[in-house]
Amino acid sequence: MLTESSTVASQVDAAFYFIIGISTFLLLAITGLMIYFVIRYNYKRNPKPTDIEGNLWLEVVWTVIPVAIVMAMFYYGFAGYKTMRTVPKDAMTVKVTAMMWRWSFEYENGIQSDVLRVPLGKPVKVLLRSNDVIHSFYVPAFRTKKDVVPGKENMAWFEAISLGEFDLLCAEYCGIDHSRMLSKVIVMPEAEFARWYTREDPA
């Protein structure tokens, strides 16, 4: 199981586990009832067909319950989506350029890097663009994924809550070396990041 390394991870996980839980319950319930009815009402025990009439309350129940479940799934999903689209005003901006087959990161002070260094506990807004084909900016530990489309600037944001190095991948097949289009998000203590950010040679 992935650890929660960003502020939105818990919301994404909650929606995922809710949907998995409901799906598992329905699978077991429907399969169990199917087996029960096959055994209980098989032809040997009931050679004479049963005439089943409609039941208004039963029809209301099996309409209302699925609608309620779907609306609950929508609520969880939309709550997470709204959070991921609402960028904090104090977010640091990093321009991210995708190309076959690497990532380039440019900071507001002009620093360029092939890894994404960010401070712990600071919102980071990434402006995404592609130089060639469709790529996809994906940081599994942050539950952050956004397509990078040629000719269109896209946006995502995250706030790292754990120190360390996290994989940054391209999640859209973009050519022969797609599997090598890898980088890292390096989450640093704020003071350490500030020293790196202000160095003349930030490599």
Side-chain angles (χ1 to χ4, degrees), residues 64-86:
V64 170
I65 291 178
V67 169
I69 292 173
V70 169
M71 292 306 295
M73 290 179 179
F74 172 80
Y75 169 79
Y76 273 111
F78 183 75
Y81 173 80
K82 186 177 180 181
T83 299
M84 288 187 281
R85 295 304 297 176
T86 306

Side-chain angles (χ1 to χ4, degrees), residues 111 195-196 198-203:
I111 289 177
R195 289 194 296 270
W196 173 84
T198 55
R199 287 174 57 185
E200 291 184 3
D201 179 15

Side-chain angles (χ1 to χ4, degrees), residues 65-125:
I65 291 178
V67 169
I69 292 173
V70 169
M71 292 306 295
M73 290 179 179
F74 172 80
Y75 169 79
Y76 273 111
F78 183 75
Y81 173 80
K82 186 177 180 181
T83 299
M84 288 187 281
R85 295 304 297 176
T86 306
V87 183
K89 293 182 179 179
D90 61 339
M92 178 182 74
T93 300
V94 181
K95 294 181 180 178
V96 180
T97 302
M99 61 199 81
M100 296 187 288
W101 287 273
R102 65 187 182 89
W103 298 96
S104 176
F105 308 97
E106 182 179 348
Y107 294 80
E108 292 174 289
N109 66 351
I111 289 177
Q112 293 188 353
S113 175
D114 58 357
V115 296
L116 179 56
R117 297 176 187 269
V118 300
L120 179 70
K122 173 76 173 179
V124 177
K125 176 183 178 181

Side-chain angles (χ1 to χ4, degrees), residues 7 12 18 29 53 73 125 170 194:
T7 52
V12 174
F18 178 74
E53 297 182 2
M73 290 179 179
K125 176 183 178 181
C170 176

Side-chain angles (χ1 to χ4, degrees), residues 9-181:
S10 58
Q11 286 183 287
V12 174
D13 289 351
F16 176 77
Y17 292 133
F18 178 74
I19 293 172
I20 287 293
I22 292 294
S23 300
T24 302
F25 170 78
L26 290 175
L27 172 65
L28 295 175
I30 292 171
T31 303
L33 286 172
M34 180 181 67
I35 294 172
Y36 169 77
F37 284 121
V38 166
I39 296 172
R40 174 66 179 80
Y41 297 103
N42 64 68
Y43 181 76
K44 290 181 179 179
R45 290 188 177 185
N46 301 273
K48 185 178 179 181
T50 302
D51 185 15
I52 300 175
E53 297 182 2
N55 185 304
L56 177 60
W57 286 108
L58 183 60
E59 293 179 9
V60 169
V61 168
W62 72 35
T63 300
V64 170
I65 291 178
V67 169
I69 292 173
V70 169
M71 292 306 295
M73 290 179 179
F74 172 80
Y75 169 79
Y76 273 111
F78 183 75
Y81 173 80
K82 186 177 180 181
T83 299
M84 288 187 281
R85 295 304 297 176
T86 306
V87 183
K89 293 182 179 179
D90 61 339
M92 178 182 74
T93 300
V94 181
K95 294 181 180 178
V96 180
T97 302
M99 61 199 81
M100 296 187 288
W101 287 273
R102 65 187 182 89
W103 298 96
S104 176
F105 308 97
E106 182 179 348
Y107 294 80
E108 292 174 289
N109 66 351
I111 289 177
Q112 293 188 353
S113 175
D114 58 357
V115 296
L116 179 56
R117 297 176 187 269
V118 300
L120 179 70
K122 173 76 173 179
V124 177
K125 176 183 178 181
V126 288
L127 300 178
L128 307 166
R129 70 183 187 89
S130 170
N131 279 353
D132 36 54
V133 299
I134 298 176
H135 300 279
S136 188
F137 178 89
Y138 181 39
V139 186
F142 297 167
R143 316 302 192 267
T144 298
K145 180 180 180 293
K146 189 67 65 173
D147 284 348
V148 190
V149 181
K152 175 185 178 182
E153 186 174 80
N154 216 341
M155 180 278 297
W157 80 274
F158 58 85
E159 181 180 333
I161 58 174
S162 298
L163 294 171
E165 296 186 7
F166 304 92
D167 292 329
L168 192 163
L169 317 171
C170 176
E172 182 75 30
Y173 182 72
C174 56
I176 191 169
D177 282 336
H178 161 71
S179 62
R180 297 183 181 182
M181 192 168 170

